[in-house]
Amino acid sequence: MAGILVIAEANEGALAPISGELLGAARKLAGEGAGSVTAFIAGSEALGKELIALGADAAIVDTNPALQGALAEVYLPAVQAALQQSGADIVLMGQTALGRDLGPMLAFALGTAVSMETVDLKYAGGKLIATRACYGGNARAEVSFKNAPAIATVKAKSFDALAPDASRSGSVSTIDVAGEARVKVLGVQKAESTGIRLEDAPVVVSGGRGLGDPSGFKMLEELAALLKGATGASRAACDLGWYPPSQQVGLTGKVVSPNLYIAVAISGASQHMAGMAGSKNIVAINKDPDANMVKAAKYAIIDDYKKVVPALIEEIKKL
Ligand code: FAD
């Protein structure tokens, strides 16, 4: 029996966005012949029903409270039980704090392999094929798996979630399985965040090394606020200490796919593009007409950002 097992996640009782994205990916694979979709979640049966509405054919809910700590070693036997129950030969999980540990742990336990930081998936010739960056982000590799189950940890925003459909039906079963924790969580400190999350923003205004100094970001924040968006940065700008690393876009940062991505003084290195190439509309503001970002953009403004951005702010304020 084949099929796909999605390891869904919830934060403070609400489904994490990655859960819907994984189900979006799983439905695509199901459409390509990979079999039915089972979702696994730690928590309540209500979450199981939400997963059905988001595209799962069946949900397995683990009600053991020990899983709430999201430790991979506690999850491992639970996921193995869900795998046996579902008969799946593909396992998808998020490239999250949990998935980063659980993926390799599960692959080791089952004597199979895991594709980490996966950005695309397809099912062809009876096999899962996962796409991931290689050579420091300068190329993409397509990998297939010799043994089942094929396991992939998927980067956030690589797939779109489907709109919830409450009329979808599917079975929700419960299990009560948990492994033993080898570490004790003493406390959880939430990351400080103000305004809209970069990954969820419909508009992202990002700045790069070409800003010249950190003060340039004040201008970008003003533009982003007017457009009800978030501010991002290239790694070069973050490495220089101009902007927080939590806002870095790219291969080693966040993946975003907003409706509008405004790249200000960013050259468009492949590692940066890996984090934003899925944006629906790219606007480049750059002095160099030959910059890679200018070539990738739908619209480009070739000039000094110090002239362009204030002019844009002024015009938008008039609207
Ligand atoms: P630059 O490449 O220096 O570009 C600056 C741009 O600003 C130029 O195009 C220039 O024409 C323009 N400019 C200059 N002055 C002005 C002005 N006044 N007005 C308008 N335009 C101006 N990078 C990331 O961003 N994210 C990642 O996650 C990431 N991961 C990496 C992982 C690895 C393993 C490696 C090796 C590299 C990674 N990088 C990443 C780094 C990446 O290769 C580039 O070095 C980086 O993206 C360059 O940043 P930048 O575009 O801001 O700077």
Side-chain angles (χ1 to χ4, degrees):
M1 193 171 46
I4 306 151
L5 179 67
V6 165
I7 311 301
E9 292 185 46
N11 293 325
E12 296 174 352
L15 280 185
I18 187 73
S19 304
E21 294 165 24
L22 290 170
L23 284 168
R27 281 264 61 99
K28 172 188 174 286
L29 295 175
E32 291 165 355
S36 65
V37 179
T38 305
F40 170 87
I41 185 93
S44 65
E45 282 186 55
L47 288 176
K49 286 188 187 137
E50 278 186 54
L51 292 168
I52 302 277
L54 281 167
D57 298 310
I60 301 172
V61 178
D62 194 326
T63 54
N64 193 303
L67 270 73
Q68 295 308 318
L71 290 171
E73 69 254 36
V74 180
Y75 262 71
L76 183 64
V79 169
Q80 283 178 292
L83 198 50
Q84 206 169 15
Q85 188 174 319
S86 65
D89 56 5
I90 294 172
V91 184
L92 304 182
M93 58 185 87
Q95 180 71 28
T96 57
L98 173 68
R100 258 192 286 268
D101 284 349
L102 182 61
M105 214 180 257
L106 183 65
F108 181 74
L110 300 175
T112 178
V114 56
S115 163
M116 303 288 290
E117 308 217 7
T118 307
V119 293
D120 203 4
L121 292 161
K122 67 179 172 196
Y123 190 77
K127 278 188 167 189
L128 179 73
I129 296 167
T131 304
R132 56 194 301 278
C134 62
Y135 300 124
N138 287 307
R140 284 178 159 209
E142 283 195 339
V143 297
S144 62
F145 300 79
K146 283 186 182 161
N147 306 325
I151 304 168
T153 64
V154 180
K155 283 188 93 163
K157 299 291 166 193
S158 300
F159 290 90
D160 290 329
L162 303 172
D165 176 358
S167 69
R168 291 193 86 254
S169 61
S171 71
V172 178
S173 56
T174 57
I175 59 170
D176 182 359
V177 184
E180 209 173 307
R182 280 177 288 176
V183 296
K184 193 172 171 195
V185 179
L186 298 177
V188 177
Q189 197 171 348
K190 283 192 189 169
E192 274 179 42
S193 69
T194 47
I196 189 163
R197 258 169 38 108
L198 187 60
E199 305 92 303
D200 302 332
V203 177
V204 173
V205 183
S206 282
R209 179 159 38 202
L211 292 183
D213 61 60
S215 67
F217 276 99
K218 288 273 160 272
M219 225 189 264
L220 304 197
E221 282 174 353
E222 190 181 350
L223 179 58
L226 282 170
L227 297 170
K228 299 191 172 46
T231 314
S234 72
R235 175 157 157 184
C238 294
D239 286 352
L240 284 161
W242 296 353
Y243 220 57
S246 60
Q247 300 304 101
Q248 183 188 313
V249 173
L251 181 72
T252 42
K254 303 257 165 74
V255 178
V256 298
S257 55
N259 290 331
L260 175 61
Y261 188 87
I262 305 181
V264 185
I266 296 178
S267 59
S270 59
Q271 295 89 354
H272 188 83
M273 304 305 286
M276 43 62 70
S279 305
K280 315 288 178 291
N281 298 287
I282 299 170
V283 172
I285 299 173
N286 203 303
K287 281 202 302 198
D288 177 6
D290 295 323
N292 196 38
M293 187 61 82
V294 172
K295 289 179 190 152
K298 192 167 186 182
Y299 304 101
I301 306 170
I302 309 300
D303 211 334
D304 188 333
Y305 85 94
K306 286 183 181 154
K307 277 198 257 168
V308 178
V309 177
L312 267 178
I313 290 174
E314 211 173 299
E315 286 306 312
I316 292 167
K317 276 183 177 166
K318 286 184 201 160
L319 296 174

